Amino acid sequence: MTEFVNFSTVVRAVVGAGFAVGTIVGSAQITQAALPNLPGADLSPVSVLDESYLLGPGDLITIDIFNVPEYSGEQRVLANGNVNLPVVGQVSVNGLTLAQAESAISAKYSREVRYPQITVNLLNPRQLRVAVTGEIHAPGLYTLDAGQRGQFPSLIEAIRLAGGITQAADLRRVEIQRRTENGSTQRVVSNLSALLGRGDLSQDFPLRDGDSIVISQMEEIDLEASRQIALSNISTDEQEAISVAIVGEVFRPGTYNYASRPTSSQSAVGDNANVNSVQQPGRLTVTRALQLAGGVKPMADLRQLQVKRTMRSGETRIIDLNLWQLVEAGDRGQDLILQEGDTILVPTDFNASPDQISILTATNLSPDAIAVNVVGEVEAPGPVAVDANTTLNQAVLAAGGFNNRAKETVALIRLNADGTVTQRAIDVNLAQGLDDEKNPILQHNDIVVVDPNARARLADGVSSILGPFLQILPFRNLF
């Protein structure tokens, strides 16, 4: 029996590019920094991902047989996983490492060549097919090509090819599952938060054919982590149109399409749908969405605003926001960046104080103008467009002020958030400052009714009685 010699300790340099620099034949592991052992991660106790390359259909390899150049040369792994070798015919290398392929080929040539010394190098790897699931824009199976320098595609490349991760993704727990040479499955967690925060490139693992990437979801939505994702280049496309719903204390509740690439200015979907398509630069935030919905009403409770977000698993997470911190202290961390399918819930604050309403209506979260109706004994009765923080006195003045027939006690009619209608009488004093009882801030569609005074009512009564006679009697001119 001929003796077989295998140079398994020779360091291989892959032809054309250094995508396997540092790979040792037989072990095929690249030294990397240990990954974090995160609580709750049911993973194998390994510190690095097995970098062994397993041959498969489509790989282009070179086979060198020492001192036998006529048997050496390039070979393409066939669809059945075999290579067709001179003299000895087909040899299966499917699922083998380079070292294992050397052993299989050496065993085949041992009958033809005395002391065969075989070297197998990977010249051009096949396309890689990887699965990406979890909190990713478009889960599914993807095909990646080796780069121009022959480098293996990385985890980040696969994430970007799948459209980017959602803002509900747990960056600390991106799991890679890989089949190893012994047939088992290895699981390792990549901490992409360390990559984004500290530039730790060791977390961007080179991929292998058949890898599965599972992106876990956050247990609880973290505003800072969500913002970190949204502003990174591994998030979803900033220019892709998203649809969000806005309900509650806003002037135009409904569903809105938003994109930062050019689109139609407005479109409706369905027979009676309230769907607007808007194009602006930058990502859609909660404050931008509220402005798209016409702004918040004076009774909006910004301290308990909520965003309902649906995860890829179908679960729903509620994100609590306090936009009042943004209004009072400029806390932009509360201005959540939205993603596809989010719903904003704006509750009603039935105990809102006049001062709070005044502050809110002065912000750009409220509309620039509202419409109120001032009817009756004013100089210019009818609809009046006024600022959102306009008081009753200012609305009367905007309608030209009282005429000489006016009674200075007016009726304020309001449609409330709960669907009821209230009416109250207010004695108007044009010198009165902001006061919830005597000079309240008006709301959209409020009606101010200015009745005639007693003298005017008397004159109207006399005129209605004597009017027909005055038209026919000759002494009508006396009146």
Side-chain angles (χ1 to χ4, degrees):
M1 184 71 178
T2 57
E3 182 181 356
F4 170 69
V5 178
N6 183 2
F7 293 94
S8 61
T9 58
V10 177
V11 178
R12 306 195 178 281
V14 177
V15 177
F19 66 82
V21 173
T23 302
I24 306 299
V25 175
S27 65
Q29 287 193 351
I30 297 178
T31 301
Q32 298 184 13
L35 296 179
N37 186 14
L38 298 174
D42 184 17
L43 305 175
S44 301
V46 292
S47 60
V48 293
L49 193 60
D50 186 357
E51 294 292 336
S52 299
Y53 185 80
L54 305 182
L55 294 171
D59 284 330
L60 182 62
I61 60 177
T62 57
I63 302 175
D64 295 319
I65 306 177
F66 185 67
N67 280 337
V68 190
E70 61 272 22
Y71 292 171
S72 303
E74 297 180 2
Q75 291 287 340
R76 178 77 67 180
V77 180
L78 304 176
N80 60 3
N82 297 340
V83 288
N84 196 13
L85 302 177
V87 179
V88 297
Q90 292 195 359
V91 178
S92 176
V93 295
N94 189 48
L96 302 182
T97 64
L98 297 179
Q100 290 170 339
E102 289 176 351
S103 299
I105 295 172
S106 295
K108 198 74 171 179
Y109 271 116
S110 60
R111 305 175 198 173
E112 306 296 332
V113 179
R114 185 177 179 82
Y115 307 122
Q117 301 176 14
I118 309 296
T119 303
V120 177
N121 285 319
L122 180 62
L123 182 61
N124 190 8
R126 65 188 180 276
Q127 288 183 321
L128 276 62
R129 290 177 15 119
V130 299
V132 188
T133 63
E135 290 298 322
I136 192 76
H137 175 69
L141 187 64
Y142 290 88
T143 301
L144 299 94
D145 292 317
Q148 295 180 350
R149 297 174 50 202
Q151 293 177 330
F152 285 116
S154 69
L155 171 61
I156 295 297
E157 291 178 70
I159 288 175
R160 297 183 68 179
L161 183 62
I165 59 178
T166 73
Q167 294 176 45
D170 188 347
L171 289 180
R172 301 168 303 167
R173 296 191 58 194
V174 178
E175 180 181 323
I176 302 174
Q177 301 175 1
R178 176 171 298 173
R179 182 170 61 90
T180 61
E181 57 185 281
N182 62 7
S184 63
T185 299
Q186 183 187 25
R187 294 175 173 86
V188 171
V189 166
S190 172
N191 183 3
L192 292 185
S193 182
L195 186 148
L196 296 182
R198 304 193 305 269
D200 184 359
L201 292 177
S202 67
Q203 305 300 322
D204 187 20
F205 290 103
L207 298 178
R208 297 291 183 266
D209 187 37
D211 282 354
S212 293
I213 301 168
V214 181
I215 302 173
S216 303
Q217 66 184 31
M218 295 183 192
E219 294 299 327
E220 294 184 4
I221 300 296
D222 181 270
L223 294 183
E224 183 177 350
S226 180
R227 189 174 186 84
Q228 182 188 36
I229 293 172
L231 297 178
S232 72
N233 69 347
I234 61 173
S235 180
T236 54
D237 185 4
E238 176 181 327
Q239 294 187 336
E240 183 167 355
I242 65 172
S243 177
V244 299
I246 309 168
V247 296
E249 286 293 291
V250 292
F251 281 93
R252 293 194 304 273
T255 302
Y256 289 83
N257 293 331
Y258 177 93
S260 57
R261 63 162 58 101
T263 184
S264 59
S265 59
Q266 187 174 19
S267 62
V269 176
D271 295 334
N272 55 1
N274 181 16
V275 179
N276 300 288
S277 185
V278 180
Q279 184 266 325
Q280 290 182 5
R283 291 190 181 273
L284 179 64
T285 63
V286 169
T287 55
R288 279 189 170 187
L290 295 178
Q291 291 167 346
L292 293 180
V296 297
K297 295 180 179 179
M299 300 292 286
D301 189 353
L302 296 188
R303 290 184 175 88
Q304 300 187 63
L305 189 142
Q306 293 181 327
V307 173
K308 183 188 297 184
R309 177 165 290 174
T310 302
M311 320 292 270
R312 289 299 182 191
S313 63
E315 299 178 41
T316 299
R317 294 283 190 273
I318 298 297
I319 308 171
D320 295 314
L321 301 176
N322 186 352
L323 283 190
W324 199 255
Q325 293 182 7
L326 174 64
V327 173
E328 282 193 324
D331 182 4
R332 297 185 61 188
Q334 299 295 319
D335 193 12
L336 179 70
I337 296 175
L338 300 174
Q339 68 178 31
E340 168 65 28
D342 282 349
T343 298
I344 302 174
L345 310 173
V346 186
T348 304
D349 186 357
F350 294 102
N351 299 316
S353 66
D355 289 341
Q356 178 179 317
I357 294 175
S358 178
I359 294 173
L360 178 57
T361 53
T363 69
N364 66 351
L365 296 178
S366 294
D368 293 334
I370 60 174
V372 297
N373 285 279
V374 184
V375 297
E377 302 301 331
V378 290
E379 296 294 339
V384 181
V386 295
D387 293 338
N389 58 347
T390 295
T391 64
L392 174 62
N393 289 354
Q394 292 170 328
V396 171
L397 292 175
F402 295 132
N403 60 27
N404 57 7
R405 293 167 44 88
K407 178 182 178 182
E408 294 188 355
T409 298
V410 304
L412 176 60
I413 302 173
R414 173 169 295 169
L415 177 63
N416 299 309
D418 58 2
T420 62
V421 177
T422 58
Q423 176 177 337
R424 59 172 170 155
I426 300 175
D427 293 328
V428 174
N429 178 3
L430 295 180
Q432 174 70 51
L434 174 64
D435 185 275
D436 190 44
E437 294 298 327
K438 298 180 180 180
N439 187 25
I441 292 177
L442 297 185
Q443 298 183 19
H444 185 60
N445 287 334
D446 277 354
I447 301 174
V448 179
V449 180
V450 183
D451 287 329
N453 55 34
R455 180 181 175 183
R457 286 199 302 271
L458 177 60
D460 291 343
V462 172
S463 178
S464 63
I465 296 173
L466 300 181
F469 298 100
L470 295 178
Q471 296 296 323
I472 60 176
L473 294 177
F475 53 87
R476 65 181 181 273
N477 291 332
L478 296 178
F479 297 89

